[in-house]
Amino acid sequence: MTDFLLELRSEEIPARMQDKAREDLARLFTAELDKAGLKAAELVTYATPRRLTLIARDLPEQTEALREELKGPPVDAPQPAIDGFLKKAQIEFTGCEVRDVKGRATLFAVIDKPGRATADVLTEAIPAIVRAFPWPKSMRWGEASLSTESLRWVRPLQGIVALLGEQIVECEVAGVKSGAATVGHRFHHPGVITIGSAADYVEKLRACHVIVDQHERRATIAVGAKLAANKAGLTLVEDEGLLIENAGLTEWPVPLLGRFDEAFLDVPPEVIQLTARVNQKYFVCTNAEGKLANAFICTANIDAADGGDKIVEGNQKVLAARLSDARFFYETDLKTRLDDLRPKLEKIVFHEKLGTVADKVDRVAKLARWLVEQQIVTPAKAGVSRDGTAQEPQKTPASAGVTELADLAERAARLCKADLVTGMVGEFPELQGLMGGYYAAAQGEDPAVAAAIRDHYKPVGQGDEVPTSPVTVAVSLADKLDTISAFFAVGLPPSGSKDPFALRRAALGVLALMTTNNLRFDLANLMQLATMWLRYSRHDLTGFSAQTRDFFADRLKVQQREAGVRHDLIDAVFALGGEDDLVRLLARVHALQAFMATEDGANLLAGYKRAANILKKEGGVPEGAGANASPEPAEAALISALDAAEPKAAAAVEAEDFEGAMAALATLRAPIDAFFEDVTVNDADKDKRAARLALLARMRDAVHRVADFGKIEG
């Protein structure tokens, strides 16, 4: 058994592509080994900005001999078919075996493949892997790039190290020949170094200032950045994405702390952090009060002789220039009121079928106001989940008038997109909403309005903060409902894996707002109403309600799966139909899940399915079936139990006491068990048989008051 080392060295590989490239290298290499019947005990992959490496452990020195059989056409088949088979199998007719297949003499080619040296397999595999590599972006280079047949790679390929044990695996790709030579760190050790085998690869490069293990570089940066911040009495703002990016930009990372002018702290902290992060790949720090400090951590790719002073000085100058730009945008934006920016939204197309952003803002404002006026969103409801647990203190008092709250919601909605035309959001689109909130607060808008502008995009995804302030809830809900209803109304719903307008994410946001804030409304009617303000009288809304209901049902299953709720129980409740209040539906599902986890629930489900199967087998209840005049004791007990349980379950459902409804149904468990134990449904007496089938149907219908048990698995 021998280890194999493959290093593909090139010019700078973008950090964002390195992890995927390691996965692709392992996948392609495994596929090439599979073709030859080889398998490595372990694959290890590394990526740095300049090299992509794979080490395969314990490869056999040669493949096993194989015998392959190919079935051909019958002996009396047309000659072209026989010739094609012989060509494919690379065999003469006389070399074929003739076997009987279903009474017809048929040709077979038996091909013996002797074992091959693993080195030969790898010689063929390496060029195939390089040429098949799926880089998201690639290029051609040099004179060969004049031909479209030349190699495409992420950046110009410079070297290939291919060693099986200590032997070089000979191959050539785009004029680059394999060997045992590579290079060390670009500045510390730019000369050629010779690798002996996979065993000394990592340590030889480390000696030349290259840490090939990306996880080790990430750990080095994480620890070094924390130490640098702590040494200055600060706390590092950790950022996993930035950590991975910095590790992907360096082969010998050295975190360094720098400072910027305190005067820049007048700019919103999010702007400073984004400027440092996006433009310069810097970490930021907070002071003892938890506020952003005038400090940053950059990652050098060199162990500088002066301790990094010159590097820090250069980075400070670059960051100062960036922050000056950011402050210019911020101060310029503050000079124009959000109100005065709104006309510019009329020039931005939201979608060709749905008008401009100004049109959308108008629709959202009307819908947000309507949600408050209909008291779907109120201070008393917002922020209070169904179990009554307050999510956060409400700044808007519960006594606030509906008109006052509606005015605030409409005002926030009309201003919520105005920051899209500011200089700051033009430079940093990630800050939309947030900057609007800052500008609104600076211009004296009501704090609830400013907060709603800032947070109306939330929740952006699963796990994101869900707004609970009533003004924010109204605007956020209206914005998402308008987006979903509008795209469905013009015939652009998500399809398969395609969701270009992020409607699924918007639906999850709607569901999170509803469940967190216990918002009760008929979803289908509200979706229909949201289309009322669209200028699209030409659009056909046939099937709109059913389509959007199914869409939300699917999203509800996704959301509740994360919360541990069984999808079949959601189906069981949805199957009853007519339930468009998703808060009530979820309460019913949760009660059903708790009930199905009990012994009573499991046994009742078994009894229900037995009854349903009998009814299905017998074709349902015979027409004209009446009551059994002389019921047997178990039959009478079931009738009595149903007489008692049915009204209790119905009343409990009406009162939304779904636990009570389950408890009422649980009383049917023993009678239905006894019925199946003691009573023969398929009695010789037709009247008795019909009466007993009707009794089973009655039991089934009673259960259906809570959920369609036929949809429940198990």
Side-chain angles (χ1 to χ4, degrees):
M1 295 291 182
T2 313
D3 292 347
F4 171 64
L5 166 68
L6 174 64
E7 182 199 78
L8 301 170
R9 183 167 52 82
S10 67
E11 293 183 13
E12 302 291 330
I13 304 172
R16 67 180 185 283
M17 298 183 188
Q18 292 173 17
D19 280 349
K20 177 67 166 45
R22 290 192 298 111
E23 294 173 9
D24 288 335
L25 179 58
R27 176 177 56 77
L28 292 170
F29 184 78
T30 302
E32 290 297 325
L33 289 189
D34 284 346
K35 290 179 186 174
L38 288 172
K39 185 175 178 61
E42 181 188 14
L43 290 182
V44 181
T45 55
Y46 301 115
T48 79
R50 303 175 67 201
R51 60 199 90 217
L52 189 57
T53 304
L54 175 142
I55 294 177
R57 310 276 188 206
D58 296 338
L59 281 178
E61 294 184 1
Q62 67 174 24
T63 65
E64 294 183 0
L66 297 174
R67 164 165 285 204
E68 184 180 2
E69 288 190 359
L70 292 177
K71 176 175 175 289
V75 173
D76 55 357
Q79 191 60 40
I82 294 176
D83 291 343
F85 170 68
L86 297 177
K87 183 178 180 182
K88 177 184 175 185
Q90 295 183 330
I91 192 172
E92 298 292 334
F93 183 85
T94 53
C96 292
E97 293 183 7
V98 179
R99 300 178 189 172
D100 182 77
V101 177
K102 297 181 180 178
R104 297 188 69 181
T106 304
L107 296 174
F108 279 81
V110 181
I111 305 167
D112 288 315
K113 292 185 176 179
R116 297 178 64 200
T118 299
D120 293 342
V121 173
L122 294 170
T123 292
E124 294 176 4
I126 294 169
I129 291 169
V130 172
R131 293 188 182 282
F133 217 89
W135 292 107
K137 286 187 177 179
S138 58
M139 61 180 288
R140 295 188 173 93
W141 62 93
E143 293 182 3
S145 63
L146 295 174
S147 168
T148 56
E149 299 299 318
S150 63
L151 175 68
R152 294 189 69 94
W153 191 251
V154 60
R155 296 287 186 274
L157 191 64
Q158 296 176 327
I160 300 173
V161 175
L163 293 171
L164 183 62
E166 297 178 353
Q167 301 300 313
I168 294 174
V169 176
E170 302 287 350
C171 66
E172 181 176 342
V173 183
V176 180
K177 292 184 178 179
S178 60
T182 185
V183 295
H185 190 278
R186 189 185 296 278
F187 305 114
H188 287 298
H189 200 294
V192 173
I193 58 175
T194 303
I195 304 298
S197 68
D200 68 357
Y201 176 74
V202 172
E203 293 309 317
K204 268 202 167 178
L205 281 174
R206 187 192 303 281
C208 297
H209 280 73
V210 175
I211 300 174
V212 294
D213 187 337
Q214 58 285 336
H215 298 297
E216 185 180 345
R217 296 199 304 278
R218 291 169 194 171
T220 300
I221 297 169
V223 173
K226 269 185 187 175
L227 288 175
N230 293 344
K231 191 176 177 181
L234 304 171
T235 302
L236 180 76
V237 176
E238 296 185 24
D239 187 326
E240 183 67 17
L242 197 52
L243 186 66
I244 293 171
E245 190 158 12
N246 272 270
L249 293 170
T250 54
E251 290 197 320
W252 191 260
V254 180
L256 299 169
L257 184 136
R259 294 279 185 177
F260 58 84
D261 192 336
E262 275 191 278
F264 287 121
L265 294 177
D266 292 340
V267 179
E270 295 89 347
V271 175
I272 295 175
Q273 183 171 2
L274 201 62
T275 300
R277 185 188 197 285
V278 174
N279 294 129
Q280 301 307 125
K281 318 303 178 194
Y282 298 161
F283 297 90
V284 293
C285 303
T286 55
N287 59 23
E289 289 78 39
K291 295 181 179 177
L292 193 70
N294 65 323
F296 65 92
I297 305 284
C298 60
T299 306
N301 188 29
I302 186 172
D303 204 356
D306 65 353
D309 291 346
K310 289 288 184 186
I311 296 173
V312 169
E313 185 181 337
N315 280 290
Q316 286 179 164
K317 287 180 182 176
V318 175
L319 183 59
R322 292 288 187 181
L323 291 178
S324 293
D325 290 345
R327 183 163 61 184
F328 171 77
F329 285 129
Y330 180 61
E331 292 175 351
T332 302
D333 289 343
L334 282 175
K335 293 175 183 174
T336 307
R337 296 188 62 79
L338 291 176
D339 258 335
D340 296 333
L341 294 173
R342 287 167 51 193
K344 292 185 178 180
L345 299 179
E346 295 171 3
K347 299 177 182 177
I348 304 175
V349 176
F350 175 63
H351 187 277
E352 59 180 353
K353 293 184 177 180
L354 296 169
T356 66
V357 174
D359 294 330
K360 176 175 176 58
V361 165
D362 187 56
R363 297 194 302 266
V364 172
K366 289 173 180 172
L367 184 55
R369 184 174 193 91
W370 185 87
L371 288 169
V372 176
E373 289 179 338
Q374 296 301 310
Q375 301 196 41
I376 291 171
V377 177
T378 69
K381 288 181 181 177
V384 181
S385 62
R386 185 176 177 82
D387 61 5
T389 304
Q391 304 299 307
E392 67 177 25
Q394 299 302 304
K395 292 179 181 177
T396 307
S399 59
V402 170
T403 302
E404 179 187 353
L405 186 58
D407 288 345
L408 291 172
E410 182 175 351
R411 176 68 178 165
R414 293 204 178 276
L415 296 177
C416 67
K417 307 293 184 188
D419 66 351
L420 292 177
V421 292
T422 61
M424 185 65 81
V425 174
E427 183 73 8
F428 296 114
E430 303 92 328
L431 294 177
Q432 58 187 289
L434 180 74
M435 294 316 300
Y438 274 113
Y439 298 145
Q443 294 166 9
E445 295 290 343
D446 188 287
V449 170
I453 295 171
R454 181 191 65 208
D455 295 333
H456 78 281
Y457 290 108
K458 294 181 178 179
V460 176
Q462 292 274 49
D464 191 23
E465 179 188 1
V466 182
T468 54
S469 173
V471 179
T472 309
V473 170
V475 179
S476 176
L477 189 60
D479 186 29
K480 293 171 177 58
L481 287 174
D482 172 76
T483 299
I484 298 168
S485 61
F487 280 109
F488 269 80
V490 296
L492 293 172
S495 174
S497 61
K498 296 179 181 176
D499 185 13
F501 309 112
L503 302 189
R504 293 183 177 120
R505 188 173 66 187
L508 288 173
V510 169
L511 294 171
L513 287 164
M514 291 172 64
T515 52
T516 301
N517 296 290
N518 195 29
L519 304 180
R520 308 290 301 273
F521 53 81
D522 186 319
L523 182 63
N525 284 343
L526 183 53
M527 292 295 292
Q528 192 84 37
L529 182 139
T531 64
M532 186 175 69
W533 293 296
L534 285 169
R535 298 174 184 172
Y536 68 94
S537 57
R538 62 187 181 281
H539 298 299
D540 181 8
L541 290 182
T542 303
F544 175 83
S545 295
Q547 197 179 13
T548 54
R549 185 187 295 116
D550 292 345
F551 173 68
F552 272 99
D554 288 341
R555 293 303 93 200
L556 187 68
K557 290 178 194 173
V558 172
Q559 185 207 42
Q560 291 300 306
R561 185 167 56 227
E562 299 287 329
V565 177
R566 289 166 47 180
H567 68 90
D568 59 322
L569 301 185
I570 296 177
D571 284 337
V573 177
F574 258 118
L576 298 180
E579 181 57 279
D580 287 309
D581 180 342
L582 297 186
V583 171
R584 186 169 57 204
L585 181 143
L586 275 179
R588 189 185 294 223
V589 170
H590 290 155
L592 182 59
Q593 177 142 328
F595 179 58
M596 295 313 301
T598 66
E599 188 179 352
D600 282 348
N603 288 336
L604 184 63
L605 176 63
Y608 166 90
K609 293 205 167 184
R610 190 171 177 183
N613 286 336
I614 292 172
L615 287 166
K616 183 179 179 182
K617 185 177 179 181
E618 297 299 326
V621 180
E623 192 173 347
N628 189 355
S630 55
E632 295 182 18
E635 192 176 0
L638 179 57
I639 294 170
S640 177
L642 281 168
D643 288 343
E646 280 176 328
K648 285 183 182 177
V653 169
E654 185 67 24
E656 299 186 14
D657 175 13
F658 301 113
E659 290 81 2
M662 302 296 169
L665 292 180
T667 62
L668 297 176
R669 172 201 165 182
I672 192 68
D673 287 348
F675 177 86
F676 284 126
E677 184 72 23
D678 300 336
V679 179
T680 301
V681 177
N682 201 10
D683 196 277
D685 186 324
K686 288 185 179 179
D687 291 339
K688 285 185 178 181
R689 174 174 162 274
R692 288 166 182 169
L693 287 172
L695 186 58
L696 291 179
R698 184 182 168 190
M699 178 266 181
R700 179 193 60 191
D701 294 344
V703 171
H704 279 185
R705 287 183 180 278
V706 175
D708 183 348
F709 275 40
K711 301 286 185 184
I712 299 176
E713 297 174 357

